[in-house]
Amino acid sequence: MVLNLPYFDKSHEKAAETISDSVRYTMVTTADNYADMANNAVAEFTAQGFECNVKNYWEEGNQYKGINVAMVSPEGDKVELQFHTPESLAVKMEQNHPLYEQSRTLKEDTPEYKALDAQMTANSAALIHP
């Protein structure tokens, strides 16, 4: 088994620095409230002094659909906040997460990885973009 782990050859301290989602929260709302919820939450955290790095994964062709915000608190604590619709969370957890767990042990240029990636992308393609 080949593991694609960025922290494999690092000290405990260096490994901890690479982990940004050990504290993770998920906010879920309907597609019609989604943009307002995400914008308001990021604005509120920013107003409280958090550094927010927003990544929107709703583009066509992604195997994951959602908005992820990597945040650092004023005290330096790392937190990840994910925004989902009920449907995107269901695809993530019920369909794609088991496939992701299989794919993360594979090299990206293998047929097995490419097949898993294609299936995850297909699973997410049917989601309605909020």
Side-chain angles (χ1 to χ4, degrees), residues 23-55:
V23 178
R24 179 185 314 143
Y25 296 94
T26 303
M27 295 182 77
V28 180
T29 191
T30 58
D32 55 336
N33 293 324
Y34 188 91
D36 285 340
M37 179 188 68
N39 287 328
N40 291 338
V42 171
E44 180 62 30
F45 278 105
T46 301
Q48 293 181 27
F50 282 74
E51 294 177 28
C52 297
N53 180 16
V54 179
K55 293 186 180 178

Side-chain angles (χ1 to χ4, degrees), residues 26-34 37 58 65-66 83-95 127-128 130:
T26 303
M27 295 182 77
V28 180
T29 191
T30 58
D32 55 336
N33 293 324
Y34 188 91
M37 179 188 68
W58 281 98
K65 300 289 186 178
F83 296 95
H84 283 284
T85 63
E87 298 80 12
S88 69
L89 184 60
V91 168
K92 173 194 169 195
M93 297 306 297
E94 298 167 17
Q95 296 177 10
L127 291 168
I128 296 172

Side-chain angles (χ1 to χ4, degrees), residues 16-24 69-71 78-81:
E17 290 173 9
T18 67
I19 299 171
S20 64
D21 63 353
S22 64
V23 178
R24 179 185 314 143
V69 184
M71 302 187 302
K78 294 179 182 179
V79 179
E80 181 178 282
L81 179 56

Side-chain angles (χ1 to χ4, degrees), residues 59-71:
E59 293 88 14
E60 187 174 329
N62 283 338
Q63 58 177 248
Y64 172 84
K65 300 289 186 178
I67 292 176
N68 287 17
V69 184
M71 302 187 302

